[in-house]
Amino acid sequence: MGKSGVGIMRAIGLMSGTSMDAIDVAFIETDGQDHVVRGPGLTLPYAASDRRILAHAMAAAQACKHRDDRPEALQIAEDLVTRMHGAAVSAFLAQYGYERSSIDVIGFHGQTVLHRPEAALTLQLGDGRQLSQLTGIPVVYDLRAADVAAGGQGAPLVPVYHQALVAKLPQRPIAVVNIGGVANVTYVGREGEMLAFDTGPGNALIDDWMMRREGVQFDQNGEYAAQGTVNADVLRLCLSHAFFSQSPPKSLDRNAFVWDSIEWMSIADGAATLTAFSAESIAKAREHFPEQPELWVICGGGRKSKTLMSMLAGRVENAVVPSEAVGLDGDMIEAEAWGYLAVRSLRGLPITYPGTTGVAVPTTGGVLASPQLSRAQPPAPSKAI
């Protein structure tokens, strides 16, 4: 029983995405199935010095061969990530007046620094046991590892939460797109069936371009892209990448696409071309859908780019709307999802599926760390649903 009543648990989800810009904290009450009550959220940006440490760790992670590898740069970053997430939980509790004892569980994503599904390797930084000690709250972490060990891609993990969020919307089929550093889509069919996969780049290439050329973290509202001209030849080159000829399931590392061929462009033209690349790769997801979605719901930071939203709307059938248009907080959905997944993990419910990660059977995952336990514990046995 959760603290909120029979079957209902109060969870905090923590997400530090591939954009490496901030930590999102969100509260959710849920039974891990149909009951979802969304609470407040909070975003705590990383300082520039923190982002440099994370970028250094991401570069160092390219040499890692095992998910437990921790060269010095990763050790430093993991300590930072864990302490910053502990501080984020404290700030959230203080701001919204929650008592620590009122929270059943924290779902902790950590910071992804390497994702190579073809090598059965995904690496997230963050010490769940230490975070549990820092917060005094049980923590479920390492939610991707079991799926990878069972032959899945380890991503995307949010689809089962997307499915729960759109359950009461009238449109079917429906596509929920998260545009973070990498973009991913969840297709929910007429009978609730799921198909999900990474579509290609989200904000990462655009963010990196803006930082390299202008010293800013992102193209606010897509203003630079709106002033530029898309280079059709470069766009065709981008879309010729082997990833786009692959059938789902498929997922990407943040740094899978590096295009030195745009270095000669103006800032605006480069931003326009990279934004078009993200929009076109999301639109290409339709090639794998059984039917065209009646509605596209866009969440994540990419929805704030008017240029990206316009480009996407011009490439797909039917309406493209930000998540707020259907009553959802597009900044907090992934953090909320990690709280939802933590509850499912505690109850032995599947978090990944053949149609989402390519795992052979619906599979649970995650590791439970409790401040009352001396070591981390595995989740309950998986129950297929």
Side-chain angles (χ1 to χ4, degrees):
M1 179 186 298
K3 295 181 175 68
S4 298
V6 176
I8 309 301
M9 303 187 77
R10 295 161 65 98
I12 287 176
L14 298 173
M15 168 58 67
S16 179
T18 51
S19 294
M20 299 188 300
D21 55 353
I23 298 169
D24 293 328
V25 190
F27 175 88
I28 184 174
E29 286 188 357
T30 184
D31 60 358
Q33 298 186 82
D34 298 332
H35 180 90
V36 176
V37 177
R38 297 164 38 250
L42 182 67
T43 296
L44 289 93
Y46 279 121
S49 57
D50 298 332
R51 293 195 299 273
R52 285 193 291 270
I53 289 172
L54 295 177
H56 186 44
M58 188 166 288
Q62 301 306 306
C64 292
K65 304 298 183 185
H66 191 273
R67 58 189 305 274
D68 294 326
D69 289 349
R70 290 297 186 275
E72 183 179 11
L74 269 64
Q75 292 179 34
I76 293 170
E78 184 158 59
D79 180 67
L80 170 71
V81 166
T82 306
R83 288 187 291 103
M84 290 291 292
H85 279 74
V89 171
S90 295
F92 176 86
L93 295 174
Q95 178 159 329
Y96 293 108
Y98 291 109
E99 296 291 336
R100 292 177 190 269
S101 59
S102 72
I103 307 299
D104 291 295
V105 66
I106 293 171
F108 181 29
H109 177 271
Q111 179 66 57
T112 297
V113 292
L114 184 68
H115 185 69
R116 290 180 179 159
E118 74 283 357
L121 178 60
T122 188
L123 202 167
Q124 287 74 43
L125 297 182
D127 187 332
R129 289 170 290 186
Q130 182 184 353
L131 182 64
S132 182
Q133 297 298 324
L134 288 171
T135 61
I137 300 170
V139 172
V140 172
Y141 66 106
D142 215 6
L143 281 153
R144 298 187 189 275
D147 181 80
V148 173
Q153 294 267 319
L157 262 66
V158 180
V160 68
Y161 184 57
H162 286 163
Q163 182 190 51
L165 287 179
V166 304
K168 296 180 180 179
L169 294 180
Q171 296 88 353
R172 286 293 184 277
I174 189 168
V176 182
V177 181
N178 178 67
I179 309 178
V182 170
N184 57 70
V185 64
T186 301
Y187 171 95
V188 181
R190 297 185 184 278
E191 303 301 323
E193 66 275 19
M194 288 187 295
L195 175 65
F197 50 94
D198 286 350
T199 62
N203 305 317
L205 290 176
I206 305 165
D207 292 350
D208 290 350
W209 173 255
M210 295 304 300
M211 179 58 69
R212 188 163 64 249
R213 294 295 297 271
E214 195 69 359
V216 296
Q217 292 183 43
F218 52 87
D219 181 10
Q220 188 167 10
N221 298 321
E223 292 174 0
Y224 277 87
Q227 298 169 29
T229 300
V230 175
N231 186 297
D233 291 334
V234 172
L235 181 58
R236 279 193 294 271
L237 175 64
C238 292
L239 292 168
S240 69
H241 192 284
F243 176 80
F244 299 109
S245 64
Q246 297 173 16
S247 298
K250 55 181 179 177
S251 59
L252 285 166
D253 183 73
R254 180 191 188 278
N255 295 321
F257 301 96
V258 179
W259 300 105
D260 296 334
S261 57
I262 71 168
E263 292 294 344
W264 56 272
M265 290 186 189
S266 68
I267 297 172
D269 288 354
T273 301
L274 292 174
T275 301
F277 182 25
S278 294
E280 188 68 37
S281 58
I282 293 168
K284 281 179 69 63
R286 296 171 302 161
E287 298 171 4
H288 304 294
F289 296 161
E291 297 181 67
Q292 295 309 307
E294 291 185 4
L295 181 68
W296 295 74
V297 178
I298 314 301
C299 54
R303 80 191 191 287
K304 298 178 182 179
S305 169
K306 295 178 181 178
T307 307
L308 178 53
M309 292 289 283
S310 177
M311 286 182 173
L312 179 58
R315 287 167 165 79
V316 302
E317 302 79 7
N318 301 321
V320 174
V321 300
S323 50
E324 286 72 15
V326 294
L328 304 176
D329 184 343
D331 288 327
M332 290 296 150
I333 287 177
E334 284 200 300
E336 293 167 6
W338 243 252
Y340 183 81
L341 293 173
V343 173
R344 289 185 70 86
S345 174
L346 289 176
R347 296 188 166 160
L349 295 170
I351 62 175
T352 59
Y353 299 80
T356 63
T357 67
V359 72
V361 296
T363 301
T364 192
V367 177
L368 171 64
S370 171
Q372 288 78 41
L373 298 174
S374 60
R375 63 171 183 259
Q377 301 292 316
S382 178
K383 301 173 184 175
I385 59 173

